[in-house]
Amino acid sequence: MMKKKNYLLAACVLGACALQTGNAQTKQLEGFSTVSNQKQTELEQKFDKLLQSSSIGANIKELSAEPHHLGSAGGKRVADAILKKFKEYGWDAKIETYHVLFPTPKIRVLELTAPTHFSATLKELAVPEDATSGQEGQLPTYVAWSADGDVTGDLVYVNFGLPEDYKQLERLNIDVKGKIVIARYGRSWRGIKPKIAYEHGAIGCIIYSDPKEDGYFQGDEYPKGAFKNEYTVQRGSVMDMVVYPGDPLTPGVGATDKAVRLNRNDATTILKIPVLPISYHDALPLLSALGGSVAPQEWRGALPITYKVGGTGKATVHLKTEFNWDIVPAYDVIAKIKGSEFPDEWIVRGNHHDAWVNGAADPISGQAALLEEAKAIGQLVKAGYKPKRTLVYTAWDGEEQSLLGSTEWAEDHQIELSQKAVAYINTDGNSRGFLEAEGSHAFENFVTEIAKDVTDPQTGSSVFERRKATEVVRAASAKQKKEALTNNTLTLGALGTGSDYSSFLQHLGIPTLSFGFGGEGAGGEYHSIYDSYDNYVRFKDPGFVYGVALSQVVGRSVLRLADADVLPFDYRSLQKTVSKYLQEVTHLADQLREDNTIENQLLTAKSYQLAADPQKGVVPPKAKEVVPNFDFSSFKTALDSLRKSTNTLFEIQEKLNNVSDKKKDKLNIALFQAEKQLLIPEGLPRRPWYKHSIYAPGFYTGYGVKTLPGIREAIEESHWQEAKEQIAIVTSAVNRLNAAIVNAIQIAKEIQ
Ligand SMILES: [Zn+2]
């Protein structure tokens, strides 16, 4: 499904391009001895030469030629085609099949029943400029994991449908209980909107694409331009995957044919109310019919109407949904090349292959880069290359329905993965623009080194320089720009969810990276019938040159991790990043304490009543809770110890050049296993599947990451006692990591 990002970036300007770049010929790669460094550099040069943009383009065309969602004949054909390619490339490949729940629509009805009658079309239009847009076999416009339901009720516009929007509605005296809400796409993962609507008592939820976020306000509409036209609809999943992703019936275990399954009614991640996504063509009559207060200014979109909040009984809608709740096969393609020295250390690399419809961008552009890497590595192997560690290349099915294929595979193989997986490297679609890199922070220097070695196809600078330039230009203040200019490291983003890395990182604690290029290929094709080859070659990556760049970035990551003498984990970066997160949550608590104190003073002084228009009946907000003080001192002490130990470890790692590989292996195992110490055995509050103490998707943001999630969300949600408990829990996790680093130092000293 892939997280959507909006970069508003200028090209490389002024002095920003003058940032340092590396030199692949002379540079000493982290983790390689002088001899192996030379070998690795030559290997990567050969690898680069084997990558062909034309073959990436051909694979995108072939694999997006027909609709290929989970459970479809097209989906099976795509899985088989990928299997065949891996075999041709010389990999040991097979399909592993899981049996997962997958709802497809039987009945979809949305009509305005008062004050006038209007039936929603619920259909996208084929256009002659897009050869595959009118094909048979497309899934209708809908969201998976909506409940079956038949409801009629008063309509309320809830803006983006987020917690703060409901606070606004409260001040306008509008309650959504027993009503149907309409929210616009944007600001959060879509599944959060119906979840919050349900928590507030709504009986149905409609999500529409407003032209302000995605349509004529942004640029020309498809097919003239890339943005949504009147009828385009974003399909998607609304599973409550921030509780657990994957098959709703088999949490924590692989959905094999023998797995014990929950009753569907007991699966907490399936929504309790009907939900439908619609186009702005279908939303316009609904929104136009609303009465009540004029919507707050920031709630207004780009439709030619006065946006009102409704909830007055003037506009009523009928929403009916019914689904086939089938169990369908999910085909994960798994391909391996066995490591010559350390076969039980795995470098796992994945991208999904299923799409909502044709999915040229999401996911096939990423899948084509993955296949290009696999092809090149296969050719290197045929010419005599032997990776030291085992390579596991994966093409996941059922990602769009909330990471079904990857989650079931990771759960099914969890014991083996916990022992053997050195890292998981993910992609999920690709386009023109800037390198996006997120993941485990011990990899920050590793990724920086790689980004400096890969050339940006449009400018000839390194992808590091281009990315750095965007950070400098985007920085909000002169102070931040100065900081960005002097920072010669690529800042890794933290991972929330929204793609196949979730199980590996957040459930199993496997060090993870996720890559893609983007920022210059914006458009409205996402999860619609227009995510096609014709669209891709016009608006996403003409010439497929960023496909090659992605293969270069990921291929280097895979090859260096496969062959490093000492695995390039640098936990100093993780320590620095977690220290920054601690500062953030400390600031969050202090800020909230001050905000709430002042808000309560305003309430006591009746300022809200006096400042409001008495004719509009706006009510003051509710009194705020008093925020207690939190003691972060033990957490700080733990991070202090970690700073010292990670510095010591790094110094010793640097000196291990002449030690034999076999001896180093004990240290390598300690290095890649260390991140698992950050797992919380009992998991996060109210969602035990998520076990990482540093990274999780936000409970009320979805894709958006919450770092130090246990502490941060407890403060945000005013769970004061829980915040105190979570500080202790995270402190213990950091102390466990510190002990693992101290152990690694001991091992390193012994083998020196
Ligand atoms: Zn995707």
Side-chain angles (χ1 to χ4, degrees):
M1 64 195 116
M2 113 175 133
K3 180 158 60 181
K4 285 197 82 188
K5 283 185 188 164
N6 267 319
Y7 275 88
L8 297 169
L9 299 170
C12 185
V13 290
L14 300 172
C17 283
L19 290 161
Q20 301 90 320
T21 180
N23 183 328
Q25 274 72 44
T26 56
K27 209 169 72 181
Q28 177 65 43
L29 301 175
E30 201 60 61
F32 289 85
S33 69
T34 322
V35 179
S36 57
N37 186 62
Q38 186 61 31
K39 230 172 105 190
Q40 192 70 14
T41 307
E42 284 164 18
L43 179 78
E44 289 176 11
Q45 283 165 352
K46 284 184 207 152
F47 173 79
D48 282 353
K49 288 204 183 91
L50 294 167
L51 304 173
Q52 294 168 295
S53 55
S54 57
S55 116
I56 292 178
N59 275 334
I60 295 178
K61 189 162 195 180
E62 180 194 337
L63 300 175
S64 68
E66 60 175 341
H68 56 103
H69 55 268
L70 169 68
S72 67
K76 179 71 166 63
R77 279 193 287 275
V78 164
D80 286 340
I82 292 170
L83 176 70
K84 193 163 158 253
K85 287 175 199 289
F86 275 124
K87 287 182 173 169
E88 280 167 13
Y89 303 157
W91 292 63
D92 176 15
K94 62 176 174 182
I95 285 182
E96 293 191 40
T97 306
Y98 296 94
H99 303 276
V100 295
L101 186 64
F102 176 37
T104 52
K106 238 180 348 198
I107 300 174
R108 298 170 304 143
V109 175
L110 174 63
E111 50 189 357
L112 184 69
T113 52
T116 53
H117 187 268
F118 164 76
S119 279
T121 63
L122 308 178
K123 180 144 184 58
E124 298 174 296
L125 293 188
V127 295
E129 293 86 344
D130 191 318
T132 57
S133 62
Q135 285 176 323
E136 295 284 304
Q138 298 168 342
L139 278 172
T141 57
Y142 83 112
V143 286
W145 316 110
S146 150
D148 288 335
D150 187 354
V151 293
T152 300
D154 189 13
L155 187 65
V156 184
Y157 175 54
V158 296
N159 193 26
F160 292 106
L162 301 179
E164 58 268 27
D165 297 320
Y166 286 89
K167 283 188 188 136
Q168 277 267 23
L169 282 174
E170 218 172 82
R171 295 207 52 205
L172 297 169
N173 249 331
I174 306 285
D175 191 346
V176 303
K177 214 164 277 160
K179 296 174 186 170
I180 295 171
V181 304
I182 179 165
R184 55 175 160 161
Y185 265 111
R187 296 276 171 90
S188 78
W189 179 57
R190 80 183 75 70
I192 298 296
K193 299 167 195 280
K195 164 178 159 163
I196 297 174
Y198 172 72
E199 285 178 0
H200 284 81
I203 55 171
C205 177
I206 303 157
I207 313 174
Y208 82 103
S209 299
D210 195 289
K212 183 148 188 200
E213 283 72 42
D214 186 0
Y216 52 72
F217 190 85
Q218 295 292 335
D220 283 326
E221 297 186 353
Y222 198 69
K224 188 180 176 208
F227 292 92
K228 272 199 178 59
N229 65 39
E230 190 176 347
Y231 294 99
T232 322
V233 180
Q234 184 188 129
R235 291 161 189 75
S237 161
V238 292
M239 180 192 283
D240 198 359
M241 69 169 169
V242 299
V243 177
Y244 62 88
D247 177 28
L249 305 185
T250 59
V253 298
T256 57
D257 43 9
K258 293 182 200 73
V260 178
R261 285 174 167 73
L262 293 177
N263 185 310
R264 180 152 60 85
N265 296 327
D266 298 329
T268 52
T269 56
I270 301 175
L271 292 205
K272 307 282 187 294
I273 56 173
V275 190
L276 260 190
I278 60 172
S279 64
Y280 81 75
H281 170 90
D282 282 343
L284 184 57
L286 272 49
L287 291 167
S288 311
L290 291 173
S293 312
V294 173
Q297 186 153 2
E298 60 282 10
W299 286 38
R300 301 170 202 167
L303 290 169
I305 54 167
T306 302
Y307 283 72
K308 294 186 177 166
V309 292
T312 56
K314 186 177 165 231
T316 56
V317 295
H318 172 217
L319 170 64
K320 185 174 180 188
T321 54
E322 211 178 300
F323 300 92
N324 305 297
W325 294 93
D326 298 327
I327 303 253
V328 300
Y331 302 110
D332 290 339
V333 190
I334 311 292
K336 289 183 186 171
I337 291 175
K338 200 171 169 187
S340 58
E341 286 186 42
F342 308 109
D344 287 339
E345 292 174 20
W346 294 1
I347 315 302
V348 189
R349 153 69 172 125
N351 192 111
H352 67 106
H353 66 70
D354 68 300
W356 274 112
V357 193
N358 296 71
D362 176 12
I364 296 303
S365 59
Q367 184 62 239
L370 179 151
L371 288 169
E372 197 61 18
E373 296 153 37
K375 187 187 82 180
I377 292 169
Q379 284 169 332
L380 292 172
V381 168
K382 277 175 197 157
Y385 165 59
K386 291 193 181 85
K388 284 191 205 168
R389 300 186 175 83
T390 294
L391 309 184
V392 183
Y393 264 54
T394 60
W396 310 117
D397 201 353
E399 188 267 3
E400 293 297 1
Q401 292 71 27
S402 282
L403 324 178
L404 306 188
S406 59
T407 303
E408 298 317 316
W409 189 80
E411 289 174 343
D412 192 22
H413 296 276
Q414 55 188 302
I415 294 169
E416 199 173 17
L417 281 168
S418 295
Q419 287 163 356
K420 298 180 180 175
V422 171
Y424 174 72
I425 306 171
N426 191 69
T427 57
D428 185 349
N430 196 43
S431 82
R432 214 160 59 83
F434 311 99
L435 177 65
E436 295 159 357
E438 298 168 312
S440 299
H441 284 89
F443 279 140
E444 206 158 61
N445 291 333
F446 174 65
V447 173
T448 300
E449 196 174 63
I450 288 166
K452 287 178 179 176
D453 283 353
V454 174
T455 304
D456 173 65
Q458 293 179 114
T459 63
S461 304
S462 72
V463 299
F464 172 80
E465 283 176 292
R466 270 214 100 192
R467 154 81 189 249
K468 220 31 181 176
T470 67
E471 283 178 20
V472 174
V473 171
R474 282 164 70 203
S477 64
K479 184 170 172 268
Q480 285 169 345
K481 283 182 202 296
K482 201 174 154 192
E483 275 170 19
L485 269 171
T486 51
N487 181 3
N488 199 27
T489 308
L490 185 148
T491 312
L492 273 189
L495 286 168
T497 188
S499 194
D500 289 303
Y501 52 76
S502 253
S503 297
F504 299 94
L505 178 67
Q506 289 144 351
H507 191 57
L508 301 177
I510 294 163
T512 294
L513 284 169
S514 191
F515 292 112
F517 285 88
E520 294 173 342
E525 80 296 333
Y526 180 64
H527 294 181
S528 78
I529 58 171
Y530 305 134
D531 184 359
S532 62
Y533 182 78
D534 288 341
N535 184 314
Y536 194 84
V537 296
R538 284 179 65 200
F539 300 112
K540 294 285 162 188
D541 182 18
F544 316 106
V545 288
Y546 279 93
V548 172
L550 185 59
S551 292
Q552 287 181 300
V553 169
V554 181
R556 272 169 177 67
S557 310
V558 168
L559 295 173
R560 288 183 194 179
L561 287 171
D563 297 328
D565 301 317
V566 178
L567 285 168
F569 287 93
D570 185 348
Y571 284 95
R572 295 176 307 168
S573 305
L574 183 134
Q575 189 278 341
K576 276 188 208 136
T577 307
V578 176
S579 301
K580 202 180 83 205
Y581 296 156
L582 170 60
Q583 274 175 19
E584 286 172 14
V585 293
T586 309
H587 180 75
L588 172 72
D590 292 345
Q591 191 66 50
L592 192 66
R593 191 174 306 110
E594 190 180 339
D595 288 353
N596 285 8
T597 307
I598 290 170
E599 277 296 300
N600 286 340
Q601 282 171 8
L602 295 186
L603 289 172
T604 314
K606 300 214 181 308
S607 305
Y608 282 103
Q609 284 94 323
L610 294 170
D613 179 345
Q615 290 185 5
K616 289 201 171 152
V618 179
V619 293
K622 282 187 182 145
K624 298 283 189 293
E625 289 200 40
V626 176
V627 181
N629 286 309
F630 299 104
D631 181 5
F632 291 105
S633 59
S634 55
F635 192 174
K636 279 197 192 105
T637 308
L639 282 171
D640 227 33
S641 306
L642 186 64
R643 181 171 46 77
K644 287 174 195 144
S645 65
T646 53
N647 282 338
T648 307
L649 177 62
F650 183 75
E651 282 161 24
I652 302 179
Q653 260 171 269
E654 295 281 273
K655 290 182 203 146
L656 294 177
N657 235 336
N658 299 318
V659 178
S660 77
D661 273 5
K662 290 282 173 217
K663 272 188 170 175
K664 280 175 194 160
D665 193 41
K666 208 176 155 199
L667 172 65
N668 282 329
I669 293 169
L671 285 173
F672 79 77
Q673 289 292 353
E675 180 156 338
K676 288 191 192 74
Q677 302 306 320
L678 293 171
L679 294 181
I680 306 167
E682 68 273 27
L684 292 175
R686 292 168 292 283
R687 42 179 178 155
W689 188 91
Y690 285 95
K691 296 193 187 297
H692 209 295
S693 59
I694 311 297
Y695 318 107
F699 202 76
Y700 287 106
T701 55
Y703 286 172
V705 65
K706 291 285 176 183
T707 53
L708 302 179
I711 302 172
R712 196 182 295 264
E713 293 195 322
I715 295 172
E716 286 173 348
E717 302 300 317
S718 310
H719 298 146
W720 312 130
Q721 185 52 36
E722 187 175 293
K724 288 174 186 169
E725 288 159 15
Q726 288 294 317
I727 292 168
I729 287 168
V730 180
T731 302
S732 305
V734 172
N735 281 329
R736 284 195 300 275
L737 174 63
N738 189 41
I741 300 292
V742 169
N743 177 46
I745 293 170
Q746 200 51 45
I747 295 169
K749 279 182 180 161
E750 281 164 19
I751 62 173
Q752 230 172 350

